[in-house]
Amino acid sequence: MSNSYATTGSRPTSRWKRFIKSNLLTFLTVIGVFGGTTLGLMLKNSSEPWTQREVMYIQYPGDLFLRMLKCLIVPLLVSSITSAIGSLDLSMSKKIAFRAIIYYFTTTICAVVLGIILVSTIRPGAGRDVGSMQGKAATRQVLTADTLLDLVRNLFPPNIIQATMFQYRTILVAPANATGVPLQQYKITNEFTEGTNVLGLVMFSVILGACIGKMREAGKPLQALFETLSEAMMIITSWVIWISPIGVFFLVAAKLLEMASFVEVLGQLGWYFMTVMLGLALHGFGTISVIFFMTTRKLSFPYIAKMSQVLATAFGTGSSSATMPITIRCLDNMGIDPRVTRFVIPVGATINMDGTALYEAVAALFIAQLRNIPLSFGHIVAVSVTATAASIGAAGIPQAGLITMVMVLDTVGLPAEDVTIIIAVDWLLDRFRTTINVMCDALGTILVNALSKSDLAATPNEIDAEPHELVELRQDCNEKE
């Protein structure tokens, strides 16, 4: 009797131990975010302003972690998409791609419309002084048309090796004595800027995967190569993510040390900051959750709870691309079909930027309100379309939204220099909108997986099969053929 009691009494403890053990990394990452915030605030208030070099020393461990994650992006992205598309027949790939794109397009439009409704209702820029808000930001002269054309150009890189390191962009050079000359008359040149051309790599991987799938038996050796490379990248990812609590801790602490007086900034931009935050919260936990429930008949919140480590990493790094390996691993652990995960997540990290789209719509109208520029319905529609296009073109790196903000401002007729008005709080908003971007990608993957279940069940899954199972799967396929 006593033995039975002892066994029964120990069960809650053992359950707690198993729970803590299985979620240890998540707890440590969340502790890293709060610990970094606490350390940053304590150091900031304990001495003289910190120099750039001192902040660099604090940020150094976080930089190393970010470099490790970014190092995995190209091999993981190419191998994941190629192996996922190659393992499906072409009709199945089209269905998954169609469902993913419809989901991404719908949520992005919803984000932009929500942002416009909030900023038009709250009017955070009405009756405020512009002069005290100016900051410093690197801007460049560019037309909206040039940005959109560059987006398409980057889909088709002239050199796939170059695409792993550089992106194409148009440069407008002012003619001599250019005072008063419109941008349309500037000389057009171009350059390749540092940064991975993710759009080009995604396009190449999709086409290569479709080709391998079409080759059937002849393409099996190449398919096996990409599957093995994808698996190897995920193993390396599982090693790297154990550093994430430390990396996030130092990244957040360093960012707080770089920040000017947050109380002063909130005094100037408080209503703008709260409008964006309200929009992100309503979109992430309202709009997306409603779409998710209507499609899958399941609540999104249990899935969001399981993503806590992914969301903490997204907040700490401010980069959806850098978070991609951790997102894929988390969804694999949830039991989502790897063929869906390895296609939808890389594509989503590239083109689906709901948080960025919402922020850019709010920012453009906020600045127009500050400048007392009345906007017609046509202007607002133009902002909606441009913010959607700009979010697709935004790179999945920290503060990429500032770069694409220029084309949204151009739509309203505002100068590029007005980006400097919102620079003071952009670094913090960037982390929140990146978190929403990553959450939307993950929920979209679960949604597409739910819609594709019957189709996927008819196609053998070779990506996560054991070697002996793989032989049996291929034998079954050959017999069916």
Side-chain angles (χ1 to χ4, degrees):
M1 186 77 175
S2 60
N3 288 341
S4 175
Y5 177 79
T7 305
T8 306
S10 67
R11 279 178 185 169
T13 307
S14 62
R15 277 201 298 268
W16 273 108
K17 283 182 179 177
R18 283 198 304 272
F19 177 76
I20 292 171
K21 187 176 180 181
S22 61
N23 294 280
L24 179 61
L25 186 58
T26 302
F27 291 140
L28 291 175
T29 308
V30 173
I31 289 169
V33 172
F34 287 106
T37 303
T38 305
L39 177 66
L41 292 174
M42 286 173 60
L43 292 176
K44 189 172 183 63
N45 296 323
S46 63
S47 62
E48 295 295 318
W50 287 66
T51 66
Q52 185 182 9
R53 175 165 289 277
E54 289 169 337
V55 173
M56 182 269 288
Y57 288 145
I58 295 289
Q59 190 172 329
Y60 185 71
D63 277 340
L64 293 181
F65 166 65
L66 208 50
R67 283 169 172 265
M68 291 178 196
L69 281 179
K70 288 181 177 179
C71 180
L72 296 172
I73 292 172
V74 171
L76 179 63
L77 184 144
V78 173
S79 62
S80 295
I81 294 181
T82 305
S83 60
I85 297 293
S87 65
L88 297 166
D89 60 66
L90 205 53
S91 62
M92 186 66 247
S93 300
K94 287 178 183 174
K95 288 178 184 176
I96 291 176
F98 178 75
R99 287 162 183 158
I101 290 169
I102 289 294
Y103 168 79
Y104 290 149
F105 183 76
T106 303
T107 56
T108 302
I109 291 294
C110 288
V112 171
V113 170
L114 176 62
I116 288 173
I117 291 171
L118 287 176
V119 75
S120 301
T121 305
I122 299 172
R123 296 187 60 79
R128 300 192 178 276
D129 178 28
V130 173
S132 63
M133 297 184 188
Q134 298 293 343
K136 293 181 180 179
T139 59
R140 67 185 180 99
Q141 301 286 4
V142 67
L143 291 174
T144 302
D146 295 327
T147 307
L148 295 175
L149 291 173
D150 286 349
L151 185 67
V152 179
R153 287 189 185 104
N154 281 318
L155 275 172
F156 306 99
N159 185 323
I160 196 63
I161 305 300
Q162 184 189 47
T164 63
M165 296 176 281
F166 298 99
Q167 299 183 45
Y168 177 97
R169 79 174 183 184
T170 298
I171 300 293
L172 300 181
V173 179
N177 304 318
T179 306
V181 177
L183 283 176
Q184 286 84 348
Q185 296 179 20
Y186 277 35
K187 182 181 177 182
I188 302 173
T189 60
N190 62 76
E191 67 176 3
F192 282 92
T193 59
E194 223 175 292
T196 304
N197 177 8
V198 179
L199 279 175
L201 292 177
V202 166
M203 176 63 79
F204 175 80
S205 302
V206 168
I207 293 172
L208 179 59
C211 178
I212 291 172
K214 195 171 181 62
M215 290 171 69
R216 294 181 176 269
E217 286 303 315
K220 291 296 183 183
L222 193 53
Q223 172 71 8
L225 170 66
F226 283 107
E227 286 174 1
T228 307
L229 179 59
S230 176
E231 188 60 35
M233 289 301 102
M234 291 312 300
I235 292 171
I236 296 174
T237 299
S238 67
W239 296 342
V240 171
I241 61 171
W242 280 101
I243 311 171
S244 59
I246 301 170
V248 166
F249 177 86
F250 286 103
L251 284 171
V252 172
K255 273 299 175 185
L256 284 167
L257 289 176
E258 286 179 347
M259 180 182 66
S261 171
F262 195 59
V263 175
E264 183 181 337
V265 168
L266 275 186
Q268 297 171 341
L269 295 168
W271 280 107
Y272 162 73
F273 182 87
M274 295 309 297
T275 303
V276 176
M277 288 296 295
L278 177 62
L280 293 175
L282 288 176
H283 182 67
F285 299 99
T287 309
I288 296 176
S289 296
V290 169
I291 292 172
F292 186 88
F293 177 77
M294 289 173 63
T295 310
T296 64
R297 301 299 177 192
K298 294 179 181 177
L299 292 175
S300 63
F301 302 108
Y303 294 103
I304 294 173
K306 293 177 183 177
M307 297 176 206
S308 49
Q309 190 226 335
V310 173
L311 301 181
T313 306
F315 182 85
T317 61
S319 170
S320 53
S321 293
T323 312
M324 185 177 68
I326 298 174
T327 310
I328 291 175
R329 183 177 180 271
C330 176
L331 291 172
D332 283 350
N333 291 339
M334 284 189 202
I336 306 303
D337 194 300
R339 292 169 293 178
V340 176
T341 304
R342 283 158 173 73
F343 173 68
V344 178
I345 287 296
V347 172
T350 308
I351 68 170
N352 184 49
M353 302 284 179
D354 288 4
T356 304
L358 184 147
Y359 143 83
E360 291 185 343
V362 171
L365 298 188
F366 166 72
I367 293 171
Q369 290 169 5
L370 282 175
R371 297 290 187 187
N372 292 316
I373 298 175
L375 297 179
S376 65
F377 179 75
H379 275 118
I380 292 175
V381 171
V383 167
S384 305
V385 174
T386 313
T388 303
S391 69
I392 294 172
I397 56 175
Q399 294 185 300
L402 274 181
I403 300 167
T404 53
M405 259 305 300
V406 174
M407 63 185 277
V408 184
L409 292 178
D410 180 59
T411 304
V412 191
L414 293 167
E417 290 73 22
D418 278 0
V419 167
T420 60
I421 292 173
I422 58 172
I423 193 75
V425 292
D426 183 76
W427 70 271
L428 183 56
L429 288 176
D430 179 55
R431 277 159 163 69
F432 284 108
R433 64 180 183 255
T434 298
T435 305
I436 294 298
N437 291 341
V438 169
M439 187 178 84
C440 181
D441 293 346
L443 289 176
T445 306
I446 298 168
L447 183 149
V448 171
N449 183 76
L451 293 177
S452 308
K453 259 188 176 174
S454 58
D455 298 315
L456 290 165
T459 308
N461 183 3
E462 298 185 1
I463 292 178
D464 60 349
E466 295 296 327
H468 68 280
E469 294 172 338
L470 199 55
V471 173
E472 292 169 6
L473 283 170
R474 287 175 177 167
Q475 285 174 348
D476 290 343
C477 287
N478 292 336
E479 288 171 6
K480 287 177 183 176
E481 290 172 4

